Amino acid sequence: MKSNFRFHGRLRDFSVVALMLLLCAAALAEPAPQTQPAPPPAIEAGETPTGDNLMPNGDFEQAGEGEKKDSPKHWQRIEGLVWHWQADPTAPEHGKAIMIDTDVDQRQAYNWWVQRYLNGAPIDRAPKKTANPVPGYGTIAGLDGGYYWSDLIPIKPGRAYQVYVDAKGPASKVFVRGYEKEVPLFFGDEAPATVEMFRKARGQPELDAKGRPVRYRLRYRYSKWFSVGGSDEWKTYTHEKPIDPTGREITEDVRYIRVMLYPYWPQGQYWYDNIRVYEVDPLPDRGVPEAQKEDFEEMKVVK
C-alpha cells in the first residue's frame, strides 16, 4: 500500500506538471483570431442627408483650447502613441484625421497614459512604441481596443439619428451610446480596466468600506454599433436603420449621445474622418419602450 501511494502520488505530480506545461505553451502560442466585424458595404457618394450636422468638429480640423490645444476640439485628447491627430500622407485632401494604432503593447500604453492623463506630460514626450514579446496578444488590439470618444451631443425625444463615418483600414466598429444626463467626461471613462488602472496609479483604495472590490458602473443607458472600414481606400459608411435612442429600444430619458470609434483586431492602423450625425425621421413602426420579441436582437437594449 505504501509503495502504491508513492506511485499514485508521483502520477498526480506528473499530471500537475504536464498541465502547467500545457498552460504555458498555450500562453506563448500565437493568439487566436478575435471576432471581427465583417467589412460593410460603402455608401454612394452624396447619399448623406442635407440637414444640419450635429457633430461639432467631425472633420477634426479645429483644435481644442488650453491644455487640449494639441487635440481636436469636442473629442478625446490624443496622446501620440495609440491615438494620432494628423493628415493621411496618401490622401492629403482629407486634411486632419484620426489615426489609431492598435499595435501597441498594453503595458507601455498604460504607463504612458498615467504620465499623459494624470501627470500632464506633454504630447511631444510620447514614447516610440516597443515590440510586444508575444505578437498581438498583449497589444491594445488584443486587450482594450483603441476607443476614441466624442463629447456629448444633445438629442430630442422621439427623433432618430443617422451617423456617417469616413474610414480607411481594417474593419472596425462605431458605437453610439446614450445617456440620461450630461455626465462629466474624462479619458477612459467607459473602460473599466483603464479606470481601475488609474485608481491604482492615484493610490486610491481598491476595496470599499465593507471590504468589497470597488466596482465601476457604466453610465450609458443605450448602446448600438455598426461596422466601418475593411478597405485600403477612404470610403463612407453608415448603418442600415436610423438609430432611435429614445424609441422603444430604451426609455424616453435618453437626452445625450456620444460616438465612439472602436478599432481593435487585427493590430494595425485605422483611420477616421468626417464624422456626421443627422436628425432624421424615425421608422414608421417605432413604438413605445416596451420589451417585445423584436427588441431582443443583437445590440438592442430594452427597458
Side-chain angles (χ1 to χ4, degrees):
M1 288 295 292
K2 192 172 182 179
S3 59
N4 192 42
F5 175 80
R6 284 199 303 269
F7 171 77
H8 286 291
R10 290 170 182 167
L11 183 61
R12 182 181 65 250
D13 292 342
F14 175 79
S15 299
V16 171
V17 171
L19 178 60
M20 292 178 65
L21 290 173
L22 287 173
L23 291 174
C24 290
L28 293 174
E30 186 74 17
Q34 298 188 8
T35 302
Q36 183 182 359
I43 66 173
E44 294 295 330
E47 196 175 322
T48 58
T50 57
D52 293 334
N53 177 14
L54 303 181
M55 171 65 74
N57 199 32
D59 59 3
F60 303 112
E61 295 301 319
Q62 188 177 5
E65 300 173 352
E67 66 175 9
K68 295 185 178 181
K69 64 182 180 181
D70 54 15
S71 301
K73 191 173 184 178
H74 302 297
W75 290 85
Q76 169 184 313
R77 289 185 73 193
I78 62 166
E79 37 74 276
L81 180 62
V82 176
W83 297 282
H84 303 260
W85 181 37
Q86 62 189 54
D88 176 5
T90 67
E93 67 276 9
H94 264 266
K96 286 289 189 73
I98 291 296
M99 189 275 281
I100 304 176
D101 187 354
T102 64
D103 190 22
V104 175
D105 185 88
Q106 186 203 52
R107 294 165 299 183
Q108 183 186 26
Y110 276 17
N111 290 335
W112 171 233
W113 294 351
V114 169
Q115 298 302 315
R116 172 69 169 160
Y117 296 111
L118 292 189
N119 301 333
I123 197 168
D124 57 10
R125 295 184 186 174
K128 294 183 179 180
K129 66 178 183 180
T130 58
N132 192 342
V134 182
Y137 189 80
T139 60
I140 293 299
L143 297 170
D144 304 71
Y147 48 80
Y148 189 73
W149 287 93
S150 76
D151 287 351
L152 293 164
I153 303 170
I155 61 171
K156 298 177 182 178
R159 300 296 291 167
Y161 297 86
Q162 195 80 21
V163 181
Y164 293 83
V165 176
D166 289 359
K168 171 185 171 181
S172 61
K173 293 180 178 180
V174 172
F175 279 82
V176 177
R177 285 181 172 166
Y179 303 79
E180 294 179 335
K181 59 185 179 180
E182 195 170 3
V183 295
L185 305 180
F186 54 92
F187 171 76
D189 53 11
E190 300 289 355
T194 306
V195 174
E196 180 182 3
M197 180 269 293
F198 280 159
R199 288 187 61 86
K200 293 179 179 179
R202 294 188 184 104
Q204 295 173 330
E206 299 179 39
L207 302 177
D208 62 18
K210 296 183 179 181
R212 299 172 300 187
V214 174
R215 297 190 180 277
Y216 176 73
R217 301 183 68 179
L218 297 175
R219 302 173 300 172
Y220 59 85
R221 291 294 309 276
Y222 168 91
S223 182
K224 197 158 190 171
W225 62 268
F226 62 98
S227 298
V228 303
S231 172
D232 291 333
E233 299 179 356
W234 283 102
K235 294 184 179 181
T236 301
Y237 303 88
T238 188
H239 37 94
E240 181 181 356
K241 297 179 180 179
I243 288 177
D244 215 346
T246 55
R248 75 180 171 204
E249 293 175 312
I250 192 65
T251 69
E252 294 289 337
D253 296 331
V254 174
R255 292 293 181 268
Y256 297 88
I257 58 174
R258 295 173 81 190
V259 173
M260 179 181 66
L261 311 175
Y262 189 63
Y264 49 103
W265 194 267
Q267 66 268 37
Q269 294 184 355
Y270 298 73
W271 291 83
Y272 304 90
D273 198 4
N274 299 325
I275 318 301
R276 288 145 287 165
V277 178
Y278 297 95
E279 180 183 315
V280 297
D281 292 329
L283 296 175
D285 59 351
R286 188 183 73 86
V288 296
E290 296 178 352
Q292 301 177 15
K293 181 179 179 180
E294 56 268 30
D295 289 321
F296 290 94
E297 299 173 7
E298 183 181 6
M299 297 310 299
K300 286 194 174 182
V301 181
V302 296
K303 183 175 179 180

